[in-house]
Amino acid sequence: MKYIVIVKPKKAILDPQGKAIKKVAENYLQSEIKDIRVGKYFEIEIEKEDDGLINKLAKNILSNDVIEDYEVRKA
Amino acid sequence: MKYIVIVKPKKAILDPQGKAIKKVAENYLQSEIKDIRVGKYFEIEIEKEDDGLINKLAKNILSNDVIEDYEVRKA
């Protein structure tokens, strides 16, 4: 069973990486970009379906729940 | 208009980051994980719809097309 976990900075949190990439992108494209937010993307394959296991992994290992939100989906 | 860009290591490429997280995850969960692959996740907001602009950004700035694949979606 394949799961996808997406980890993103919480909305209220400043995203310096996103700001830096936004500047580079605007220079490169010569076009205005309203916002870029950068997160992490995980593809996790386990033997059989276990939503609880993947949520536990996402919450405690893959993300820092003080500054990040996470989302779990089945691929 | 909001776009999502996902950048992943090409299948044939070794993913040391994924392997490292796999080991930590298996120890933490005390459960076997078949595979973990790690990529980057971008949310990009622009004024109006422009698939070409986002594809150009994804291909030339957000990913390294020698070792990574990218995917563009509308949010």
Side-chain angles (χ1 to χ4, degrees), chain A residues 6 8 21 25 28 33-39 41-45 47 56-57 60-62 73, chain B residues 6 8 21 25 28 33-39 41-45 47 56-57 60-62:
Chain A
I6 290 172
K8 297 188 277 192
I21 292 172
Y28 172 70
I33 291 178
K34 290 176 77 175
D35 194 26
I36 296 186
R37 297 184 72 74
V38 184
Y41 173 88
F42 301 91
E43 280 180 6
I44 302 160
E45 201 158 346
E47 196 57 46
K56 189 178 168 187
L57 182 62
N60 300 317
I61 299 286
L62 302 180
R73 282 187 226 152
Chain B
I6 291 171
K8 296 188 279 192
I21 292 173
Y28 172 71
I33 290 178
K34 290 176 74 177
D35 193 28
I36 295 187
R37 296 185 71 75
V38 184
Y41 173 88
F42 301 91
E43 280 181 6
I44 303 161
E45 200 156 348
E47 197 56 49
K56 189 177 167 188
L57 182 62
N60 299 318
I61 300 286
L62 303 180

Side-chain angles (χ1 to χ4, degrees), chain A residues 6 14-15 18 23 31 39 42-43 49 52-53 55 59 61 65 71-72 74:
Chain A
I6 290 172
L14 181 69
D15 176 12
K23 219 178 241 172
S31 172
F42 301 91
E43 280 180 6
E49 195 168 338
L53 190 81
N55 270 280
K59 182 171 167 46
I61 299 286
D65 61 7
E71 225 179 275
V72 175
K74 287 180 185 124

Side-chain angles (χ1 to χ4, degrees), chain B residues 6-65:
Chain B
I6 291 171
V7 175
K8 296 188 279 192
K10 286 186 191 285
K11 281 256 179 280
I13 299 284
L14 180 68
D15 177 12
Q17 198 179 4
K19 295 282 171 273
I21 292 173
K22 179 174 179 287
K23 217 178 247 174
V24 169
E26 285 178 328
N27 284 339
Y28 172 71
L29 297 171
Q30 290 300 304
S31 171
E32 202 226 323
I33 290 178
K34 290 176 74 177
D35 193 28
I36 295 187
R37 296 185 71 75
V38 184
K40 293 173 279 190
Y41 173 88
F42 301 91
E43 280 181 6
I44 303 161
E45 200 156 348
I46 52 176
E47 197 56 49
K48 53 181 176 43
E49 193 167 339
D50 189 339
D51 297 3
L53 191 80
I54 300 300
N55 270 280
K56 189 177 167 188
L57 182 62
K59 181 171 167 46
N60 299 318
I61 300 286
L62 303 180
S63 68
N64 170 349
D65 61 8

